Amino acid sequence: MQHDAHAHHDHSTHGGPHENHGARHEGHGAHHTPGKASWSMAAKATLHCLTGCAIGEVLGMIIGTALGWGNMETMILAIILAFFFGYALTLRGILAAGVDFKTAFKVALAADTLSIAVMEIIDNGVIALWPGAMDAHLSDPVFWIVLAIALAAAFVITVPVNKWMIGRGKGHAVVHQYHH
């Protein structure tokens, strides 16, 4: 079914579990209609992913440092936690809409995987290539400055990726059908 036709379809003739489908999407039609992605929407989706990534990155670096791990082990942990927290933030919203965990998990994977992956490649690439950043300690201002620059670069580069995905009905466009 075409999304354009779907957005204008009279849902009052439907019975069953989708009876309020149209009311639930009112005001969100442009958010998930292919080809109608705005830069604002892409930025919001990217900020959502950035929040989870930042939480995971910082927590991973704190844990790795506290355990005395090397740079590679700490970076791997930070990346794993970035994906975990990125997915967790999306899951929280979808589960709050009453969706079962299995479906919510699939939606989170579809919505966030590419966005988080791009963000992590850029973020960790900047940190790895910045002279002295990998050896900076958590108490060193260089660590926090480079992390902020890396996350900002990841955000700027990931926004167009999310806009492209949302414009094709993928990524965070999938999540919007579960928002009230």
Side-chain angles (χ1 to χ4, degrees), residues 107-129:
V107 170
L109 287 177
D112 290 337
T113 300
L114 182 60
S115 180
I116 295 171
V118 169
M119 198 164 290
E120 286 301 299
I121 289 167
I122 301 304
D123 170 37
N124 285 288
V126 168
I127 292 169
L129 295 174

Side-chain angles (χ1 to χ4, degrees), residues 24-102:
R24 206 169 54 169
H25 288 292
E26 193 171 305
H28 290 290
H31 294 298
H32 70 276
T33 303
K36 303 252 183 179
S38 69
W39 284 105
S40 172
M41 182 184 183
K44 288 176 185 173
T46 306
L47 187 59
H48 178 262
C49 286
L50 180 72
T51 301
C53 287
I55 292 168
E57 289 278 337
V58 172
L59 186 59
M61 291 177 195
I62 289 170
I63 292 170
T65 300
L67 295 175
W69 289 359
N71 287 339
M72 187 56 68
E73 296 86 359
T74 300
M75 186 178 277
I76 291 169
L77 176 62
I79 291 169
I80 290 168
L81 290 175
F83 273 91
F84 174 80
F85 282 99
Y87 291 139
L89 289 176
T90 298
L91 275 172
R92 184 188 68 168
I94 299 168
L95 290 170
V99 177
D100 65 278
F101 183 81
K102 184 178 177 184

Side-chain angles (χ1 to χ4, degrees), residues 133-152:
M134 291 295 289
D135 297 321
H137 295 278
L138 294 172
S139 60
D140 189 343
V142 168
F143 168 83
W144 296 102
I145 292 167
V146 174
L147 179 61
I149 292 168
L151 290 172

